[in-house]
Amino acid sequence: SEEFYFLGMAVSDKMAGAMLLIVGSSVYFYYIAWVVITPFIDQDYFIHNYFPRRELGVIIPIVCGLLLSVVVLTFLSLVMINSRPTQRHHVPDKPKML
């Protein structure tokens, strides 16, 4: 198992995977609770203090998706432009005079 350094600490691949799984799952469940569950709870209930406005639940993923698309398409276009073979113009030889 290889190790890499995160914040000055050696972290194994399994530990990094576990951290990513925990963080990703936490963000996913928070988002689901925010967007799917809170609309069915009364507005004056205290749970709404832990979540931003519901409109942001739609706006944030759209903006992140657009930014991701721009980055991916820019990267692909730069790769395609730089991998294009250089075109050499062939100049035909002059005919020899007899």
Side-chain angles (χ1 to χ4, degrees):
S1 163
E2 294 185 24
E3 292 185 350
F4 66 96
Y5 290 91
F6 177 72
L7 297 176
M9 298 182 303
V11 180
S12 69
D13 289 344
K14 284 185 178 182
M15 182 60 80
M19 289 187 313
L20 285 173
L21 181 65
I22 290 169
V23 169
S25 298
S26 300
V27 169
Y28 175 76
F29 287 121
Y30 179 83
Y31 182 78
I32 291 299
W34 175 27
V35 174
V36 176
I37 296 173
T38 58
F40 297 107
I41 299 174
D42 291 334
Q43 282 287 31
D44 55 346
Y45 201 61
F46 75 94
I47 194 99
H48 286 280
N49 296 333
Y50 298 107
F51 298 100
R53 296 187 336 253
R54 263 185 255 141
E55 296 86 19
L56 293 176
V58 175
I59 293 171
I60 291 173
I62 289 173
V63 169
C64 290
L66 287 174
L67 287 174
L68 180 66
S69 298
V70 166
V71 168
V72 168
L73 292 174
T74 302
F75 173 76
L76 287 176
S77 63
L78 289 174
V79 167
M80 289 173 58
I81 288 171
N82 290 333
S83 68
R84 183 175 34 176
T86 57
Q87 295 177 354
R88 294 184 179 157
H89 297 289
H90 179 70
V91 179
D93 294 336
K94 291 184 179 179
K96 294 182 182 179
M97 300 298 268
L98 294 176

